[in-house]
Amino acid sequence: MNRAEIERILPHRGSMLLLDELIPGGDATATARYRVRGDEWFLQGHFPGNPMVPGVILCECMAQACCGLMDLGGGLPYLVRVEKAVFRHPVRPGTNLTLRCRLTRRLDPFLTAECEAWDDGKLCAQATLQLAVKTLDHKETSYV
């Protein structure tokens, strides 16, 4: 899927859509790609003269890639838990990130996946993520 197709399934827009391509691999895996251009808002000031993608943004990239494992059915995906997050290699402008997700548990409305972010054969980050799909009215504020 390209960005236009991703926008049909993800609610993220503009600078918060952190995928350029999403490749669902069936029920158990998904792969996504994101090119760090260098003009992203989260690189401004992190860090001056030595920009690198913040770990929380890498977790968001992996969470968005997990949506390739889910049938959103008009619902919204929510990242509800991050476990065992490890950041091994800095991600800098010009990086072509490959995000890999593998489903480890599904108990509707929850999904748990092992995720990794790679740059040219180097493991940059990994985490276990749990997401939930929920249809919310505009006034509701709880996630699950």
Side-chain angles (χ1 to χ4, degrees), residues 64-138:
Q64 289 183 23
C66 283
C67 291
L69 299 169
M70 307 169 87
D71 176 11
L72 298 176
L76 296 175
Y78 285 91
L79 178 59
V80 296
R81 181 177 291 167
V82 177
E83 295 180 328
K84 303 176 189 171
V86 179
F87 306 100
R88 300 185 180 279
H89 190 297
V91 176
R92 302 187 185 283
T95 297
N96 290 305
L97 273 182
T98 299
L99 307 149
R100 296 184 185 133
C101 304
R102 183 179 57 82
L103 178 68
T104 58
R105 185 170 187 212
R106 185 185 309 263
L107 183 59
D108 289 333
F110 299 99
L111 169 145
T112 304
E114 298 291 330
C115 303
E116 298 174 336
W118 291 83
D119 171 24
D120 194 29
K122 293 179 197 159
L123 181 60
C124 299
Q126 61 193 108
T128 300
L129 303 180
Q130 186 176 67
L131 290 90
V133 177
K134 185 150 185 191
T135 304
L136 299 175
D137 66 33
H138 294 291

